[in-house]
Every structure is written in structure tokens, then in C-alpha cells.
Amino acid sequence: MGKSQFEELKNGVQEIIDLIAAKDNRSANNKLLEVSEKLDDFLDHTDEDEDLIEISRYQILINQLFQKINPEEEGE
């Protein structure tokens, strides 16, 4: 996987954080779904250990952001 793909993920995550800060949870959730789909796609097309480790870091971050945006779903 190229550095540009991880840069794309990084920018997407930053946009989600900015939207959360602006209290625009609907847009943040939509962007989170978009980034999550890209992350899944990257995961499907890589088998290099370094890339898998980096992808797992983004997965953890995406899950934490999801819980921040949707706190009512934590108890389910």
C-alpha cells in the first residue's frame, strides 16, 4: 500500500475530528462511514505486515470516533 493511501485515511480521520469539534455529528458519521469503507477496502487488498499494523491502528481510531459520535449505542 502506498503512503498516499494512508495519507488519505489520515486526512479523512482529521476531517471527522474537525466535524465532531464543530458538533456536526451527522456529517461526522457520514464521513466516518466513508473512511471505514476505504479502510475495509485497503484491508482486503493488502497482505504486508506493516500495512496490516497501520490499518489496525486506524480501525481502533475509527471505532473510538464512532463511540464519540454515537454514545447512546455503547450500551447495546
Side-chain angles (χ1 to χ4, degrees):
M1 241 173 83
K3 293 254 186 232
S4 64
Q5 291 173 313
F6 284 121
E7 193 66 32
E8 186 179 334
L9 285 175
K10 180 181 172 186
N11 291 338
V13 167
Q14 184 59 53
E15 189 175 337
I16 294 166
I17 293 168
D18 292 345
L19 289 166
I20 292 171
K23 303 204 183 305
D24 187 354
N25 285 353
R26 178 182 293 266
S27 295
N29 205 33
N30 290 339
K31 186 65 178 181
L32 187 136
L33 291 173
E34 179 185 318
V35 171
S36 184
E37 286 176 11
K38 285 181 188 175
L39 196 56
D40 289 343
D41 189 45
F42 293 161
L43 185 59
D44 290 342
H45 295 96
T46 191
D47 57 359
E48 294 183 32
D49 288 346
E50 287 180 26
D51 290 346
L52 293 172
I53 291 168
E54 191 71 17
I55 288 170
S56 70
R57 290 179 181 146
Y58 278 101
Q59 287 175 316
I60 292 167
L61 182 55
I62 291 292
N63 288 336
Q64 290 173 337
L65 291 172
F66 178 83
Q67 290 175 359
K68 179 80 172 165
I69 296 169
N70 304 289
E72 67 279 355
E73 296 185 22
E74 282 182 32
E76 292 184 2

